[in-house]
Amino acid sequence: MNKPIVVPLEKIETNTPSIKTFFMKVPLIAQQGIPGQFLMIWTFNDEIPMSLSYIDPKKELIGITVKKVGSSTEKTHLIPEGSLIGVRGPYGNGFKIAGSRILVVGGGVGMACLFPLILQLIEAQKSVTVLIGALTKNELLFQNSLQEYTSLENFRLSIATDDGSMGFHGLVTELMDKTLRKKTFDQIYACGPEPMLKTAFNIAESKNIAFQASLERYMKCGIGLCGSCCINEQIVCTDGPIFESKVLRTMNEFGHSKRDPSGRLIPITD
Ligand SMILES: Cc1cc2nc3c(=O)[nH]c(=O)nc-3n(C[C@H](O)[C@H](O)[C@H](O)COP(=O)(O)OP(=O)(O)OC[C@H]3O[C@@H](n4cnc5c(N)ncnc54)[C@H](O)[C@@H]3O)c2cc1C
Ligand code: FES
């Protein structure tokens, strides 16, 4: 669906001091969307990419989970329930369901695209271990929602905070390394800041475990026309945003450089 459709915001949830989830009724996207795909969100000013964080075909509801980082996301956070918002999509490839012993690693708002995937993996009765990382305990995303599945035999949830305010004291990739020393997995899914993803990928490679990561690049069209989202030979909005180990190995820009809004290559620093 390449033309934005304008819908009211059904419900807004505050997840953390800097993150909110916005729910909309869009039957077509709720029926066709898969975890890992994204939407272009139009707030009548700018249009920005946001992952699907909630997909409910029965209720015909979808959600996006937005971290306040700059002008568009700040404006989005100010929109009240009932207001109109434009959406187009779903775009991109989405995660491939693979493996049976699964490790999911999410850093910060990276948990947004992983949340519907985790629900799908639980539904498929896979053995799932989830590691959620954040700077501090108040910024842990979807920890409460996932806590309710910890009574399931095949589900484990562990937390890492950079400041040690909850769970493992350190980076989520350090917790990942520790977890992999104790348990074996045959598939890893990850989303978060790119330096975190690069470290997680290197760990997965050292253990020979299949890896899928959701990557971000500056997006304008979202449909493969403008070239603003390229990473090496890949167009993130159409070839991705989910990339598997085989392709990640070929990307020397992964973890090192990205394009600014004018298309210039700049180093990745955060
Ligand atoms: C496929 C994809 C899925 C995403 N999913 C989510 C999500 O689920 N939740 C979430 O909070 N964020 C997500 N993002 C990131 C989100 O799009 C940016 O945080 C947002 O566009 C920032 O806009 P801003 O004006 O508030 O910030 P700015 O101050 O303009 O920029 C802050 C940061 O966001 C980046 N950014 C700005 N505009 C864009 C753009 N058009 N495309 C990509 N990056 C941009 C900038 O390069 C910079 O690194 C996703 C990005 C992509 C590419
Ligand atoms: S955003 Fe235009 S080609 Fe990907």
Side-chain angles (χ1 to χ4, degrees):
M1 193 167 55
N2 290 335
K3 197 170 149 192
I5 59 158
V6 175
V7 288
L9 286 171
E10 297 273 327
K11 191 171 64 150
I12 301 173
E13 271 176 19
T14 299
N15 304 103
T16 79
S18 69
I19 302 175
K20 286 185 181 182
T21 297
F22 300 81
F23 296 91
M24 297 143 269
K25 202 164 194 170
V26 191
L28 201 67
I29 299 179
Q31 271 135 25
Q32 294 179 354
I34 62 166
Q37 286 190 303
F38 69 95
L39 307 175
M40 293 301 289
I41 300 296
W42 179 44
T43 54
F44 306 107
N45 295 296
D46 321 303
E47 217 191 8
I48 51 171
M50 285 288 151
S51 304
L52 279 165
S53 64
Y54 184 84
I55 309 167
D56 188 334
K58 284 201 193 107
K59 292 187 187 154
E60 301 183 328
L61 265 189
I62 55 165
I64 52 160
T65 298
V66 181
K67 183 175 168 77
K68 211 168 31 166
V69 292
S71 68
S72 306
T73 47
E74 269 163 24
K75 276 184 234 153
T76 311
H77 268 236
L78 295 175
I79 304 176
E81 269 177 16
S83 298
L84 297 176
I85 193 163
V87 296
R88 59 183 176 95
Y91 295 133
N93 54 0
F95 290 106
K96 281 191 196 139
I97 302 297
S100 54
R101 284 163 291 124
I102 314 239
L103 181 65
V104 180
V105 187
V109 75
M111 277 303 292
C113 71
L114 296 171
F115 185 64
L117 171 75
I118 295 165
L119 299 188
Q120 199 178 78
L121 295 169
I122 292 172
E123 179 82 27
Q125 300 191 327
K126 307 269 187 186
S127 166
V128 186
T129 297
V130 177
L131 312 181
I132 307 181
L135 289 173
T136 185
K137 72 173 181 187
N138 292 344
E139 287 296 334
L140 287 162
L141 182 58
F142 296 133
Q143 187 225 341
N144 293 339
S145 310
L146 290 175
Q147 202 68 46
E148 67 183 82
Y149 297 97
T150 52
S151 57
L152 296 176
E153 199 190 326
N154 279 337
F155 185 78
R156 297 274 176 284
L157 177 65
S158 297
I159 303 299
T161 50
D162 294 10
D163 66 359
S165 50
M166 188 181 268
F168 175 80
H169 186 173
L171 300 174
V172 72
T173 43
E174 291 165 355
L175 178 61
M176 173 185 171
D177 202 21
K178 199 172 153 215
T179 307
L180 285 168
R181 286 175 205 276
K182 291 189 286 198
K183 242 178 127 179
T184 54
F185 297 90
D186 53 15
Q187 178 68 50
I188 298 173
Y189 296 97
C191 184
E194 201 155 306
M196 174 214 125
L197 289 179
K198 180 72 175 172
T199 305
F201 175 59
N202 290 342
I203 297 170
E205 287 288 90
S206 72
K207 305 266 179 199
N208 217 4
I209 305 174
F211 187 82
Q212 292 182 45
S214 178
L215 300 190
E216 288 184 12
R217 282 297 180 272
Y218 199 93
M219 289 187 182
K220 293 178 183 171
C221 70
I223 52 172
L225 297 177
C226 70
S228 77
C229 67
C230 287
I231 169 165
N232 291 102
E233 306 302 314
Q234 305 293 321
I235 300 173
V236 175
C237 66
T238 49
D239 298 328
I242 313 303
F243 293 98
E244 296 180 72
S245 314
K246 198 172 90 181
V247 180
L248 291 169
R249 278 181 212 126
T250 68
M251 292 176 168
N252 61 18
E253 290 176 20
F254 173 42
H256 295 291
S257 49
K258 61 181 182 179
R259 286 175 196 280
D260 70 7
S262 68
R264 211 163 33 113
L265 267 184
I266 53 169
I268 290 175
T269 49
D270 52 357

